[in-house]
Amino acid sequence: MSDYGLSMGMKSMAVSTPESGSSFDDDDSEEFADATDEFYDAVTSAVSLTPSVVPSTAVSRRRSTAMEADETAESQAKEDETTELPAKEEDTAAKESTKDLTALSGYPESAHVRTELPEITRGGPSLNLWSIIRGAIGKDLSKVSVPVFFNEPTSFLQRFTEDMEYCDMLEIATMLPRSADRTLFVAGFAMSNYASTFGRIAKPFNPLLGETFEYVRRDKRYRALSEQVEHHPPISACWVEGKNYVYHADTNIKSKFNSGSLTVVPTGVCHVELKLPLAFLDRDDEKNAGAARQPPRINEAEGYFTEHYTWNKLTTNVNGIMIANFWIEHVGDLDVLNHRSGDRTKITFMQSGWTGRNKFKVTGEALDRQGNKVYDIAGDWTSKLVARPVDATGSATQEAETIKRPSHMDATVSADDAVKYAASNSIQVPRTPFVLWKINDRQTKNNTYNLTTYAMSLNDKPAELVPYLCPTDSRFRPDQRAMETGEYELADTEKSRLENKQRATRRRREQGELKAWKPRWFTKEFDNDSNESYWRFNDAYWTEREHAAQLQKEAGATQPASVDVWDDVENIF
């Protein structure tokens, strides 16, 4: 395990904490908790915002002018109704299904994806680890303040988005006609979420209330949005829309330090919804599988039905803290259920003993809707998983083959295209052992924090994207940006400033000076399948984003948008 993050200065623990904002005395008051981070709260998974070149008054005038123009057009339309027949109304749902969701301002078709971090020429700070953890034993670590030097240059909202690194598994799942096979691949995707934590001990920055993060991949045809929706307890929500799938989750993480290890317990349910060709329902695989738990949810007009899958996150242990030899261990059952069919795949993350036996190992099995085992699963979450059909042919020592994502799938840009493609290009899983999942190579150049290559792209802020990002986007966090470039003292100072600003804002809300907090992009709802509440995307963000982008384009803006350009967005940085 490479030294990094917490261990960046572990061999020379000598300097005291900067005076800029990190006290190591624990304090149970809510006010103190607001200013602190949860130690390792996300092992599961450039400067302050400058004013836009668009003056707020000009933006207001443009908004007013636009509204007046809309009203005038509406009035004119009513007058025209007396002399002209109304145009045929376009089917909104059909329009959505045929468009490219990733065609957004600031994301060209051939957008470059960053694969390395800026070079840091100065050494990391040294720390006195014991001065930090000695008062934390047995306590909820949201009550213990730690310096910024324990962070990596990502936000937890960005870490949440890392779940999508192996999104190809979801696309393959949409092309499998047998429901038990689809459930297996969704479970493989669920397990892949943990691979990025290998070798990473430093913690992401805790998001500020109202902080957001958008991430769009033109090459993979998905867009993601995360928002910090609550602060007490801290809850983050994430919603990802692909061509023929949706992934969403929200989580509240509790962590506690006990003697030589840290235990992290996330709460919340993860969801995947697949859009599948109606033709799959007519295949013999489906007809011979037996009765399903639920009738299919069919969209007849667009030729697909949906399947809903859920699972819970695992408990994570960070071991070896007292001896500065850190390693992460995920423990428990990852139980993925297909709510329509009743198929289930369970992957067990094994706990290692004192000797290190079973370290990183996972085993599992996939059951069909009648409870019959159809696959055995084995491997480890740090390298690869192999699935073996119970009726596998060939030798037991036969090398597992790899299932590749069809290259032509990249040519489909919309849900309509993807569903039609899957109907005519379905994939049959081999009846011999095959590689269910394999870890991607990790970039090592300028990788101070041991991030995955995928993670290195998250905080990138190319000039062509800057004017169109929401002012609350994590990329604009000055402390996080300073951490990425190795300006550690500045990062610590900015972190303290942002925490104090957030605390002052909360007091103003309590005193009635500001309106009560309400998430801007998510609403809390109830899921009948899992019998759990969840945070649902309200579908407003991307529309508002393009509206704000149009204002920026009209003004010729090249700088970040001010909060006046976006509707009902606060200045949190």
Side-chain angles (χ1 to χ4, degrees):
M1 184 87 51
S2 60
D3 287 344
Y4 118 107
L6 275 180
S7 53
M8 275 166 39
M10 208 59 71
K11 300 199 188 285
S12 55
M13 305 172 183
V15 301
S16 59
T17 308
E19 298 176 358
S20 51
S22 296
S23 170
F24 296 149
D25 295 330
D26 64 321
D27 188 330
D28 290 335
S29 69
E30 185 181 56
E31 179 176 311
F32 180 84
D34 276 345
T36 63
D37 280 344
E38 285 198 10
F39 195 34
Y40 307 113
D41 59 356
V43 292
T44 57
S45 74
V47 293
S48 298
L49 190 64
T50 54
S52 169
V53 296
V54 187
S56 60
T57 53
V59 173
S60 299
R61 283 197 296 272
R62 280 201 299 279
R63 282 193 179 277
S64 299
T65 302
M67 292 173 65
E68 291 169 3
D70 289 343
E71 291 172 358
T72 301
E74 184 178 354
S75 176
Q76 184 64 45
K78 290 181 178 179
E79 293 177 8
D80 292 344
E81 285 178 359
T82 60
T83 56
E84 294 184 16
L85 291 175
K88 185 177 180 181
E89 187 174 339
E90 189 173 25
D91 187 333
T92 302
K95 185 177 180 181
E96 286 292 315
S97 70
T98 57
K99 75 176 185 179
D100 180 0
L101 296 175
T102 66
L104 298 162
S105 300
Y107 294 103
E109 180 68 44
S110 57
H112 171 73
V113 178
R114 187 175 74 169
T115 57
E116 62 182 62
L117 297 178
E119 183 178 2
I120 297 177
T121 57
R122 57 186 295 182
S126 57
L127 297 170
N128 189 333
L129 178 65
W130 179 245
S131 69
I132 296 169
I133 65 175
R134 64 185 176 187
I137 297 176
K139 293 183 173 61
D140 181 345
L141 291 175
S142 64
K143 305 295 184 182
V144 179
S145 183
V146 295
V148 73
F149 311 123
F150 284 81
N151 290 81
E152 65 179 27
T154 64
S155 164
F156 179 61
L157 300 180
Q158 293 171 326
R159 179 68 76 91
F160 221 155
T161 309
E162 286 187 59
D163 286 357
M164 297 307 298
E165 179 172 358
Y166 299 93
C167 64
D168 287 356
M169 299 192 70
L170 295 181
E171 291 213 48
I172 291 176
T174 65
M175 303 179 69
L176 301 174
R178 195 168 73 147
S179 61
D181 296 341
R182 293 194 293 270
T183 307
L184 173 69
F185 272 78
V186 172
F189 167 79
M191 195 239 63
S192 75
N193 298 172
Y194 295 91
S196 67
T197 66
F198 180 63
R200 291 168 69 180
I201 303 297
K203 63 181 292 300
F205 284 82
N206 280 350
L208 302 172
L209 187 63
E211 185 175 331
T212 60
F213 177 67
E214 70 168 56
Y215 189 68
V216 177
R217 287 292 293 262
R218 299 301 307 273
D219 56 335
K220 299 295 184 181
R221 305 293 178 188
Y222 69 79
R223 63 187 187 186
L225 178 72
S226 299
E227 180 182 15
Q228 189 71 3
V229 294
E230 288 189 5
H231 190 56
H232 284 304
I235 297 178
S236 304
C238 177
W239 196 277
V240 184
E241 298 168 285
K243 291 176 295 187
N244 46 4
Y245 63 82
V246 171
Y247 168 67
H248 63 96
D250 49 79
T251 188
N252 169 28
I253 293 177
K254 295 291 186 182
S255 56
K256 180 173 287 190
F257 178 64
N258 294 297
S259 186
S261 65
L262 176 80
T263 299
V264 180
V265 183
T267 61
V269 180
C270 300
H271 303 255
V272 160
E273 295 175 15
L274 300 182
K275 294 180 180 180
L276 304 163
L278 288 176
F280 284 1
L281 294 175
D282 296 327
R283 295 181 63 113
D284 290 341
D285 289 329
E286 177 67 25
K287 294 177 180 178
N288 298 332
R293 295 176 77 246
Q294 298 176 353
R297 300 168 186 174
I298 295 176
N299 186 322
E300 196 75 49
E302 298 179 38
Y304 70 80
F305 68 100
T306 60
E307 281 185 341
H308 180 207
Y309 305 77
T310 62
W311 66 93
N312 293 303
K313 289 283 190 180
L314 298 173
T315 294
T316 296
N317 297 322
V318 182
N319 302 306
I321 293 178
M322 300 299 291
I323 59 175
N325 182 22
F326 310 104
W327 58 281
I328 288 177
E329 180 178 45
H330 306 293
V331 179
D333 293 331
L334 200 61
D335 198 353
V336 178
L337 175 64
N338 182 331
H339 289 278
R340 182 195 72 83
S341 67
D343 301 297
R344 184 187 300 268
T345 295
K346 183 173 72 173
I347 299 177
T348 299
F349 287 62
M350 303 178 70
Q351 186 164 12
S352 64
W354 288 101
T355 62
R357 184 183 180 186
N358 297 326
K359 193 174 184 180
F360 310 135
K361 297 297 182 184
V362 296
T363 61
E365 61 181 11
L367 307 178
D368 65 18
R369 65 188 68 178
Q370 298 183 43
N372 301 313
K373 183 164 68 171
V374 289
Y375 292 101
D376 286 309
I377 305 166
D380 60 73
W381 58 267
T382 61
S383 60
K384 73 176 180 180
L385 280 187
V386 173
R388 185 180 188 277
V390 294
D391 58 350
T393 59
S395 169
T397 59
Q398 180 177 347
E399 183 176 353
E401 62 179 290
T402 301
I403 299 178
K404 295 183 178 181
R405 178 177 180 272
S407 59
H408 294 295
M409 191 70 181
D410 292 327
T412 63
V413 299
S414 67
D416 186 61
D417 290 340
V419 170
K420 289 178 180 177
Y421 180 85
S424 57
N425 295 274
S426 61
I427 298 174
Q428 293 296 328
V429 176
R431 305 323 300 162
T432 56
F434 60 90
V435 177
L436 177 61
W437 166 84
K438 184 178 181 180
I439 197 167
N440 291 331
D441 293 333
R442 187 171 299 196
Q443 170 67 266
T444 57
K445 182 180 179 181
N446 296 337
N447 195 359
T448 306
Y449 301 94
N450 204 27
L451 302 182
T452 63
T453 304
Y454 181 96
M456 291 183 189
S457 71
L458 299 175
N459 205 42
D460 190 23
K461 197 175 61 172
E464 65 269 20
L465 179 61
V466 166
Y468 311 122
L469 291 172
C470 185
T472 56
D473 196 278
S474 299
R475 295 175 181 88
F476 292 130
R477 283 193 66 143
D479 51 353
Q480 183 174 308
R481 183 64 57 184
M483 198 71 186
E484 182 177 274
T485 56
E487 300 172 273
Y488 304 114
E489 289 76 15
L490 175 61
D492 196 62
T493 300
E494 285 296 314
K495 176 174 176 287
S496 179
R497 181 184 66 80
L498 292 176
E499 290 168 344
N500 289 332
K501 181 175 182 178
Q502 179 172 242
R503 189 158 56 249
T505 299
R506 189 199 67 204
R507 288 172 180 158
R508 292 182 65 191
R509 285 198 178 98
E510 292 173 347
Q511 295 168 3
E513 297 178 24
L514 298 174
K515 65 180 180 180
W517 166 251
K518 180 181 179 182
R520 179 66 176 86
W521 312 113
F522 288 81
T523 56
K524 196 170 188 178
E525 296 189 6
F526 186 81
D527 173 47
N528 291 320
D529 284 342
S530 62
N531 289 318
E532 297 280 354
S533 61
Y534 73 105
W535 288 90
R536 181 175 182 81
F537 180 49
N538 63 15
D539 294 322
Y541 179 85
W542 301 109
T543 301
E544 174 62 21
R545 183 192 190 278
E546 290 306 286
H547 177 69
Q550 185 59 37
L551 296 179
Q552 289 284 82
K553 291 174 183 177
E554 291 172 2
T558 59
Q559 298 299 310
S562 71
V563 293
D564 297 312
V565 177
W566 286 66
D567 183 42
D568 197 21
V569 168
E570 296 183 7
N571 179 6
I572 62 174
F573 300 137

